[in-house]
């Protein structure tokens, strides 16, 4: 079964002066608010990725983040991936007692509830000691075969503000 990705035409980006920008995907039937002073743009090389960047974002010559925050959103429909994600959520839920489990070499999995959707949150660390958080991926199943992936990348110096902004994005996620 081929994967169907949401494209730019599936999203409406509504900027209102003095208010937060609201992004709506009418096909997948969800919306969220973008943190104030963040930029919303499409990745021209990968047309199904919506990029959100903090105003202080900077990249090096290899396009690695050296300052600020980046949040990358994809929406897809693929039954096999959807079923696999739901199995991962079920096994993680069964293993968890305190919300954070499955700490492997440098990966930690946990369950989050976003607007009534039980979702998988995976945190990636720079080392097996788990002291330096590198990025977070939240995978949200919806409908019969849909998945929203929201990934938070950040420079270490911007970690705290990036985590707050990522929380703001996921907390404003609404399904219609």
């Amino acid at each position: 079964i081929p994967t169907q990705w949401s494209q730019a035409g599936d999203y409406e980006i509504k900027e209102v002066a003095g208010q937060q920008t609201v992004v709506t995907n009418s096909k997948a039937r969800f919306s969220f608010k973008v943190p104030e002073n963040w930029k919303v743009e499409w990745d021209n090389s990968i047309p199904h990725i919506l990029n959100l960047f903090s105003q202080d974002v900077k990249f090096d010559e290899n396009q690695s983040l050296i300052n600020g925050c980046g949040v990358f959103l994809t929406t897809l429909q693929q039954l096999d991936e959807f079923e696999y994600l739901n199995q991962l959520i079920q096994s993680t839920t069964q293993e968890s007692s305190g919300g954070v489990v499955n700490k492997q070499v440098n990966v930690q999995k946990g369950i989050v509830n976003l607007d009534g959707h039980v979702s998988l949150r995976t945190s990636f660390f720079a080392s097996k000691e788990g002291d330096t958080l590198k990025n977070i991926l939240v995978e949200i199943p919806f409908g019969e075969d849909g998945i929203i992936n929201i990934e938070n990348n950040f420079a270490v110096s911007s970690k705290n503000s990036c985590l707050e902004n990522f929380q703001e994005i996921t907390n404003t996620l609404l399904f219609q």
Side-chain angles (χ1 to χ4, degrees):
I1 302 170
T3 301
Q4 295 179 23
W5 298 92
S6 282
Q7 303 294 317
D10 297 329
Y11 291 90
E12 177 189 0
I13 299 166
K14 190 174 184 180
E15 297 179 29
V16 179
Q19 296 181 21
Q20 286 179 278
T21 299
V22 176
V23 175
T24 302
N25 182 317
S26 54
K27 188 175 179 183
R29 301 172 51 110
F30 71 89
S31 64
F32 63 91
K33 292 181 179 176
V34 178
E36 286 185 44
N37 302 315
W38 277 45
K39 298 179 285 192
V40 180
E41 57 187 55
W42 288 99
D43 185 330
N44 293 327
S45 62
I46 309 172
H48 60 267
I49 297 179
L50 180 64
N51 298 316
L52 312 172
F53 294 118
S54 61
Q55 64 183 12
D56 60 343
V57 74
K58 288 190 181 120
F59 298 93
D60 65 14
E61 63 279 354
N62 299 319
Q63 294 304 305
S64 295
L65 205 60
I66 56 172
N67 194 59
C69 319
V71 173
F72 310 98
L73 184 132
T74 57
T75 304
L76 64 125
Q77 290 180 282
Q78 215 290 345
L79 186 58
D80 292 342
E81 291 289 326
F82 178 82
E83 289 174 348
Y84 177 69
L85 175 57
N86 279 309
Q87 289 172 356
L88 274 176
I89 288 170
Q90 188 173 10
S91 66
T92 302
T93 301
Q94 289 169 350
E95 294 170 19
S96 76
S97 55
V100 176
V101 295
N102 201 7
K103 186 132 187 331
Q104 299 162 346
V105 179
N106 60 343
V107 177
Q108 204 170 347
K109 294 189 183 294
I111 300 299
V112 291
N113 191 319
L114 300 174
D115 194 35
H117 289 71
V118 177
S119 309
L120 184 65
R121 175 185 168 122
T122 307
S123 301
F124 299 90
F125 296 86
S127 67
K128 64 182 176 185
E129 287 76 36
D131 51 359
T132 306
L133 184 64
K134 283 179 43 179
N135 69 330
I136 297 170
L137 172 65
V138 174
E139 299 168 279
I140 309 154
F142 70 93
E144 301 291 316
D145 62 356
I147 300 172
I148 301 167
N149 294 314
I150 308 174
E151 184 174 350
N152 183 17
N153 291 313
F154 45 83
V156 173
S157 61
S158 306
K159 175 182 152 188
N160 291 338
S161 66
C162 293
L163 291 175
E164 286 175 24
N165 285 304
F166 186 68
Q167 189 73 37
E168 180 182 336
I169 292 168
T170 57
N171 284 346
T172 63
L173 185 70
L174 296 174
F175 287 87
Q176 301 151 359

